[in-house]
Amino acid sequence: MAQKTEEGMSVRVYTFIDDKDKTPHITWWRKFCLRCHQPETTPSSEPLWWGKVFPFPIFPTFRQTAQQICIIVFFLLIWGILFAEIGEPLSLNGELLSMTLLVIASYLVGWIWLKITTLPALIGMLLTGILFQNLHLVHMTDTYRQLNQDLRKIALVIILMRAGLGLNADVLKKHYIAVLQLGLLPWLVECVAIAVMSHYLLSLPWIWGFLLGSMIASVSPAVVVPCLFRLREVGYGVAKGIPTLLLAAASIDDSVSVAVFAIILNAMFSSGSTTFNIIKGPLSIVAGILLGGVWGYMTSVIPEKGDKYVVVLRFLALFLGGLFALFISSLIGWSGAGPLAIVSSGFMAAYFWEKQGWPVNNNPVSDLFRILWIFFEPILFAFTGAQVTLSALDPDVISMGAICLLSCLALRVIATFFISFGCGLNSKEKLFIGLTWMAKATVQAALGPAALDLVKSGKSAGDTLANEEVYAKTILAMSVLSVVISAPAGAIFIALTGPRLLSKESQRKTIETVECIETIVQENRTSTDL
């Protein structure tokens, strides 16, 4: 239904009746279109001719189309800026153009993948990168490989900052035992299991095995949280605040994973004394938390909360501060401090902003980081996939790696079930959380190529160059394999088992304690996706 306005635009209010009521037999293509193109939930303005030329649902709405066009144009503008800066000769075979086309294609494929399969878009983006690489549609020299590394670091800052902004101090204070149990112990079990199995199945040295384990053990909020909140919208798990609990635990899981990975990687490729490297690990953790906490508190004081540009200034303070922490900590050899500084700055900022009236993880700064992630998600996963050459992969590594991953995922499910004692969860809920913890994606894509980048840059961990390159390629292959296997599996398990293992809000008994009521209030305050 459209209403004409004075500006020559039509305000289209989408009032849909169930298609089953309108048409007894819906054609398959109409079902497919409705699956890909959702109606607008709020009134939208569009040109008068749009609905006639591009009727819904065969085509997306004007608002949805405009969003996609904007994002593609932004990618092209970024390409133009880099082209002008680097000065690459303009050519259809140019590296920069091929990388830009890769990112745009991965974004579109990911968007279509999400609409059709409802599985995370990042899987389609990763597969697009692999496809481009193996069809020889993209090639990166050392100059662009360095650019790729820097872009992955920026993506890592966004991932960690969103994790910090999503931590709720009240939830941590009230349920800190459950959060630490679910966030640390399953991660530790899987990390050790990966290290042991990769040592015997993939012939990785112990230090390389623990490097791999610290990365693979990380859970992906990018997969878990959207799936959880789809269940939350219909009432599953709300009674005990399971989405909020898992969001906090996943943030802790990610933070520890990135910090431990950075500490091990820095110790492996550092030229300093072994004793100093061992002492530097705990010191970098303390330094990162303290410096990040101070920076996060500062953002609640400067800029002043009533400033006209407070949202933009706070966003820039956290984003640029996070970039500074990550790059400088890596430069001075304290790599573990940077990731923790980012998370702690986001946590402290969100804590003090909440006291000033901005709900945790539901404030304008979180929205800006969410928008920024739209651009860096395809860059991260497309470039990670583009480093995988199928013909160069060892079939034994893939087969043994798959066995290692699946075995350790099963072990993590079992460990989570038994570790989550005293959390107030029943057996079905424990099993659901164990299955939820299977999903891997973001951290693996961000950190998977890190060791290979160092080896190719000429740094050594004490072994021969040939052996270290094999180990680094094995870690990259395992990171990609973990995303391809566990991300769709985790999303499917959450969707299928959630309604069967979680109690529904409308069917639960009346809450009798104040604590349960407070849990629901906190759940409603943190209902925004990571």
Side-chain angles (χ1 to χ4, degrees):
M1 180 176 65
Q3 299 175 354
K4 188 174 181 180
T5 64
E6 295 180 0
E7 291 79 6
M9 305 288 286
S10 64
V11 178
R12 183 172 294 273
V13 181
Y14 292 90
T15 53
F16 288 89
I17 304 173
D18 192 340
D19 285 301
K20 293 182 180 179
D21 296 334
K22 294 170 61 179
T23 308
H25 303 287
I26 307 175
T27 57
W28 67 268
W29 60 266
R30 184 175 178 83
K31 290 182 179 179
F32 180 80
C33 291
L34 284 172
R35 188 179 185 87
C36 296
H37 307 141
Q38 285 78 34
E40 301 296 342
T41 57
T42 58
S44 63
S45 298
E46 64 181 34
L48 293 173
W49 50 267
W50 182 267
K52 299 177 182 179
V53 180
F54 304 106
F56 184 87
I58 300 177
F59 296 93
T61 65
F62 177 76
R63 176 185 294 171
Q64 295 165 5
T65 304
Q67 288 176 350
Q68 306 309 317
I69 293 175
C70 281
I71 293 172
I72 293 173
V73 169
F74 292 156
F75 279 129
L76 291 174
L77 291 175
I78 293 172
W79 169 76
I81 294 170
L82 292 175
F83 168 77
E85 179 67 23
I86 297 175
E88 178 189 277
L90 185 60
S91 170
L92 293 178
N93 296 323
E95 294 179 59
L96 190 56
L97 179 59
S98 65
M99 291 168 62
T100 304
L101 294 177
L102 167 61
V103 172
I104 294 176
S106 67
Y107 172 77
L108 293 175
V109 171
W111 178 67
I112 295 171
W113 177 278
L114 173 64
K115 296 296 183 180
I116 295 177
T117 67
T118 69
L119 294 175
L122 56 89
I123 302 171
M125 297 172 183
L126 183 72
L127 295 176
T128 304
I130 296 175
L131 183 65
F132 266 62
Q133 172 64 30
N134 291 274
L135 293 179
H136 306 291
L137 298 177
V138 64
H139 174 68
M140 286 180 283
T141 58
D142 291 340
T143 301
Y144 292 98
R145 192 171 289 111
Q146 180 60 48
L147 175 62
N148 183 2
Q149 295 177 30
D150 294 337
L151 290 174
R152 285 204 315 272
K153 288 181 180 180
I154 296 174
L156 185 61
V157 170
I158 300 171
I159 294 169
L160 295 175
M161 192 62 73
R162 293 181 69 190
L165 289 171
L167 287 172
N168 190 314
D170 293 333
V171 174
L172 291 177
K173 183 178 179 180
K174 184 179 297 183
H175 306 291
Y176 70 94
I177 295 179
V179 170
L180 292 178
Q181 278 181 262
L182 297 175
L184 293 180
L185 297 182
W187 176 90
L188 182 61
V189 169
E190 187 175 8
C191 176
V192 174
I194 289 285
V196 172
M197 294 196 69
S198 64
H199 176 72
Y200 290 105
L201 295 181
L202 299 173
S203 301
L204 288 180
W206 283 110
I207 187 67
W208 286 87
F210 278 100
L211 182 70
L212 176 63
S214 64
M215 174 189 64
I216 296 296
S218 177
V219 174
S220 174
V223 178
V224 171
V225 176
C227 297
L228 282 175
F229 283 123
R230 290 194 197 106
L231 294 174
R232 179 197 173 278
E233 288 174 358
V234 292
Y236 290 107
V238 176
K240 294 185 178 179
I242 290 178
T244 301
L245 181 64
L246 293 186
L247 173 60
S251 298
I252 297 294
D253 177 289
D254 276 3
S255 307
V256 172
S257 185
V258 174
V260 172
F261 180 91
I263 291 172
I264 295 176
L265 189 68
N266 181 67
M268 289 172 58
F269 290 90
S270 176
S271 57
S273 66
T274 304
T275 304
F276 178 71
N277 288 331
I278 294 174
I279 297 175
K280 187 169 60 176
L283 289 178
S284 64
I285 293 175
V286 175
I289 294 175
L290 290 179
L291 292 176
V294 172
W295 185 259
Y297 169 74
M298 191 201 72
T299 62
S300 67
V301 179
I302 304 173
E304 190 268 328
K305 64 179 182 180
D307 193 308
K308 179 180 179 181
Y309 304 104
V310 64
V311 175
V312 176
L313 292 175
R314 284 178 172 179
F315 165 75
L316 290 175
L318 286 183
F319 182 54
L320 296 178
L323 287 175
F324 178 84
L326 191 66
F327 280 89
I328 294 298
S329 64
S330 178
L331 180 65
I332 64 177
W334 289 61
S335 301
L340 289 174
I342 297 169
V343 175
S344 59
S345 65
F347 169 68
M348 292 298 292
Y351 174 76
F352 287 104
W353 292 349
E354 184 183 27
K355 295 181 178 299
Q356 297 174 357
W358 283 6
V360 174
N361 200 37
N362 189 20
N363 58 63
V365 174
S366 296
D367 293 337
L368 289 177
F369 277 104
R370 189 176 297 110
I371 293 171
L372 197 60
W373 178 242
I374 293 175
F375 297 96
F376 276 90
E377 185 180 24
I379 292 174
L380 175 63
F381 287 97
F383 285 174
T384 300
Q387 298 195 52
V388 178
T389 304
L390 296 179
S391 59
L393 293 178
D394 186 347
D396 291 337
V397 171
I398 299 301
S399 58
M400 291 295 100
I403 294 173
C404 177
L405 286 171
L406 293 174
S407 301
C408 292
L409 286 175
L411 180 61
R412 177 161 185 157
V413 173
I414 297 172
T416 303
F417 183 88
F418 290 104
I419 285 172
S420 54
F421 59 88
C423 297
L425 304 171
N426 58 39
S427 298
K428 291 184 176 180
E429 291 164 344
K430 292 178 182 179
L431 177 59
F432 173 77
I433 293 175
L435 295 173
T436 299
W437 269 181
M438 293 177 62
K440 322 286 184 181
T442 43
V443 170
Q444 290 73 19
L447 301 181
L452 185 59
D453 292 338
L454 290 176
V455 172
K456 288 186 174 181
S457 66
K459 294 186 178 180
S460 174
D463 207 331
T464 64
L465 177 62
N467 285 342
E468 289 182 351
E469 189 169 348
V470 171
Y471 301 151
K473 287 183 177 179
T474 299
I475 287 182
L476 174 60
M478 289 288 287
S479 68
V480 174
L481 195 62
S482 69
V483 177
V484 173
I485 291 177
S486 66
I492 292 171
F493 275 123
I494 294 173
L496 295 180
T497 63
R500 293 171 175 80
L501 298 178
L502 298 180
S503 59
K504 196 170 184 180
E505 172 72 8
S506 59
Q507 297 176 347
R508 68 183 178 89
K509 296 181 180 180
T510 304
I511 297 178
E512 299 177 354
T513 64
V514 176
E515 180 180 358
C516 291
I517 296 176
E518 292 175 349
T519 302
I520 294 175
V521 172
Q522 291 298 331
E523 168 60 17
N524 290 332
R525 294 173 64 185
T526 58
S527 61
T528 303
D529 183 9
L530 234 180

